[in-house]
Amino acid sequence: MKYLHSSLLLILLYLPSSALTPFPYLYEMHHKFSPPHLPLPTKPMNMSTWMSHLPFHTPLNTLSIPGTHDTMAYRANRLPKFTTTQAGTLYQQLHAGVRFIDIRARHYRNTFEMHHGVVYLGTNFTFVVRTLHAFLTGPGSSEVVLMRLKDEQHAQGNTRTFVQTLEWYIDVHGDTMEMLTDLLWFPGDTSRRLPLLGESRGRVVVLRDYDAEGATYELGLPYTDEKRIKIQDHYQLYTYLDVIKKKWDLIINFWREWVSFFNSILDPPVPTTNPQDLPLLVNYLSGASLFCVPRNVATNEAWGINNRVQFFLRTAWETAWNAAFPAWREEFVELRGETLGVVVWDFINTRAARLVVSFNFRGVEGWDWSEVGFWTAGERWEFKEWN
Ligand SMILES: *[C@@H]1O[C@H](CO)[C@@H](O)[C@H](O)[C@H]1NC(C)=O
Ligand SMILES: *[C@@H]1O[C@H](CO)[C@@H](O)[C@H](O)[C@H]1NC(C)=O
């Protein structure tokens, strides 16, 4: 840990005093002070393995990570429109670079069925485990997946608790036992820190969003530990007319607030906090209201949340100020080079994921804008990409 402290301090010393942020080029930090890792790849970077280019000592909470809200509510499962939140399957999402998934299990007859609220999604936990295993022991063996596991909807027909059923999947059930043994990350101490990237490659870090009382062992980390995880997840958004505006403000304010927080902690002369102790930021882009389903909020042609966010991130990413949008100048300045944390999308597509991932590689030699996956001017959200 001493090692991280001193490397951060060194970075701060190298910064010009006018630097807009004291934590600017995350990748540089890793690059200079960490053990060797894979060189940058041929272009474009393969999103199945983007974490393979980051070194062992990367704290997961300092990364910019694409995530999906209600991961299993995708169209292939033939869902009603009001409940669909994704276009791609879990496997497609993982290959697109998604490393935070939102798995909602209804405890039903001593098993976990995938649900979005009252709606059964036509699949179960075994399928999720199988997909993660195929990816993380195969093409994605350099990668780490954060999995929010949520106890969703009222339980029914059970003779045991949610956590006992989870332990049954891990210790007893023949379909999942061995796969979960390969996959799950267990904390080695009681610090409740997210692991370093190198400590958890090929694994799933469970973020427990269920009552873990009576568990026989500690698994992953609690999703609701506010010291470790800061979450913006307001999704019930009033009326149709202002839903997008309201959600947009929530998203931007969350980033602004936490970026200032990071800055204040890491203020020179001596940073008092180990980067691993900073919270994981989880910013949900998803929203809905009575007459506005998730798909409208996310992909509303002209100015839905996804288009706004990609444009905003693009502006933040570029070094040149885009004079066309002066109202965003301030956000742009504050976000430059910062970690975004987890960005949780509805209807993610490959370029949205690539855009977020690219924040981990800013300032790296050989990495250019064509890698970022910007939308071209006037282009609309490609909602049908995975049909
Ligand atoms: C999960 O779903 C599969 C396919 O429908 C089924 O064969 C399996 O029994 C289910 N597993 C559990 C534990 O419910
Ligand atoms: C990306 O890498 C994976 C794993 O090595 C591979 O299966 C896949 O074909 C690659 N994709 C592209 C577009 O090269």
Side-chain angles (χ1 to χ4, degrees):
M1 291 305 96
K2 215 175 157 195
Y3 178 75
L4 279 167
H5 273 290
S6 52
S7 52
L8 197 60
L9 185 57
L10 268 175
I11 294 205
L12 292 170
L13 290 175
Y14 279 119
L15 281 174
S17 55
S18 63
L20 293 167
T21 154
F23 200 40
Y25 296 120
L26 181 70
Y27 184 89
E28 282 287 290
M29 174 173 107
H30 302 314
H31 196 69
K32 284 189 182 138
F33 303 104
S34 297
H37 50 282
L38 289 179
L40 279 175
T42 51
K43 293 176 190 181
M45 182 181 280
N46 184 331
M47 285 294 119
S48 305
T49 52
W50 64 266
M51 285 177 161
S52 69
H53 308 292
L54 294 165
F56 187 96
H57 281 96
T58 311
L60 291 177
N61 54 314
T62 59
L63 289 175
S64 299
I65 297 176
T68 49
H69 160 247
D70 240 305
T71 302
M72 300 307 290
Y74 47 76
R75 289 152 67 87
N77 287 338
R78 285 193 221 90
L79 301 172
K81 200 170 166 184
F82 70 88
T83 204
T84 307
T85 59
Q86 301 300 331
T89 65
L90 175 57
Y91 202 61
Q92 286 172 318
Q93 293 175 31
L94 293 169
H95 275 290
V98 168
R99 299 291 177 264
F100 171 98
I101 60 176
D102 176 19
I103 299 299
R104 298 172 178 221
R106 178 184 184 197
H107 193 204
Y108 182 72
R109 297 188 179 171
N110 292 332
T111 65
F112 293 161
E113 305 285 359
M114 294 300 110
H115 260 253
H116 181 185
V118 295
V119 180
Y120 169 56
L121 299 179
T123 185
N124 64 21
F125 190 59
T126 305
F127 175 79
V128 173
V129 171
R130 202 171 281 148
T131 308
L132 287 168
H133 191 261
F135 179 71
L136 288 169
T137 62
S141 60
S142 53
E143 312 296 285
V144 179
V145 175
L146 303 175
M147 176 170 80
R148 173 191 184 190
L149 180 60
K150 178 167 189 277
D151 182 356
E152 180 96 342
Q153 200 54 22
H154 70 279
Q156 202 184 332
N158 304 297
T159 58
R160 55 190 181 203
T161 63
F162 188 95
V163 72
Q164 284 169 337
T165 291
L166 180 58
E167 292 184 355
W168 172 78
Y169 276 105
I170 299 171
D171 300 324
V172 180
H173 186 42
D175 287 354
T176 51
M177 191 172 68
E178 282 176 30
M179 290 190 284
L180 285 171
T181 307
D182 288 347
L183 286 181
L184 293 175
W185 174 82
F186 292 92
D189 57 34
T190 53
S191 67
R192 293 195 156 181
R193 275 186 186 145
L194 281 173
L196 297 170
L197 175 57
E199 294 169 332
S200 50
R201 288 196 201 275
R203 305 229 164 219
V204 174
V205 178
V206 174
L207 305 176
R208 308 190 305 251
D209 196 5
Y210 54 83
D211 181 0
E213 176 128 354
T216 53
Y217 41 80
E218 185 97 353
L219 168 67
L221 297 167
Y223 180 74
T224 47
D225 180 349
E226 287 178 14
K227 276 204 209 80
R228 292 286 174 201
I229 308 187
K230 302 291 180 192
I231 301 163
Q232 181 283 115
D233 185 18
H234 299 279
Y235 55 91
Q236 277 301 344
L237 296 154
Y238 324 105
T239 62
Y240 179 79
L241 287 175
D242 58 3
V243 54
I244 290 177
K245 169 82 175 82
K246 286 216 164 93
K247 185 67 204 187
W248 172 245
D249 289 346
L250 288 162
I251 294 164
I252 293 301
N253 288 337
F254 179 80
W255 269 325
R256 289 174 58 110
E257 178 184 349
W258 290 108
V259 167
S260 325
F261 171 78
F262 271 50
N263 287 349
S264 69
I265 286 202
L266 296 171
D267 234 7
V270 184
T272 52
T273 301
N274 177 334
Q276 225 185 333
D277 281 331
L278 292 171
L280 176 74
L281 308 182
V282 182
N283 203 355
Y284 282 81
L285 309 185
S286 43
S289 72
L290 194 53
F291 300 107
C292 196
V293 300
R295 178 175 141 187
N296 295 130
V297 177
T299 67
N300 182 288
E301 296 95 48
W303 223 205
I305 290 293
N306 287 4
N307 270 332
R308 286 186 184 223
V309 170
Q310 74 88 12
F311 200 90
F312 171 71
L313 292 183
R314 171 190 173 150
T315 310
W317 204 95
E318 287 175 358
T319 47
W321 169 239
N322 184 337
F325 293 90
W328 288 351
R329 184 179 177 91
E330 228 177 313
E331 287 89 340
F332 157 68
V333 167
E334 288 177 13
L335 267 180
R336 199 173 79 156
E338 281 290 351
T339 174
L340 299 172
V342 184
V343 186
V344 190
W345 304 72
D346 271 346
F347 296 98
I348 198 166
N349 66 10
T350 48
R351 273 178 303 170
R354 186 178 285 274
L355 176 60
V356 174
V357 167
S358 71
F359 273 75
N360 299 305
F361 299 97
R362 284 187 77 230
V364 178
E365 217 176 310
W367 176 259
D368 75 46
W369 292 12
S370 61
E371 292 272 342
V372 178
F374 289 153
W375 281 242
T376 51
E379 187 178 4
R380 290 179 174 182
W381 187 254
E382 277 193 62
F383 164 67
K384 288 186 171 153
E385 188 157 329
W386 275 318
N387 262 3

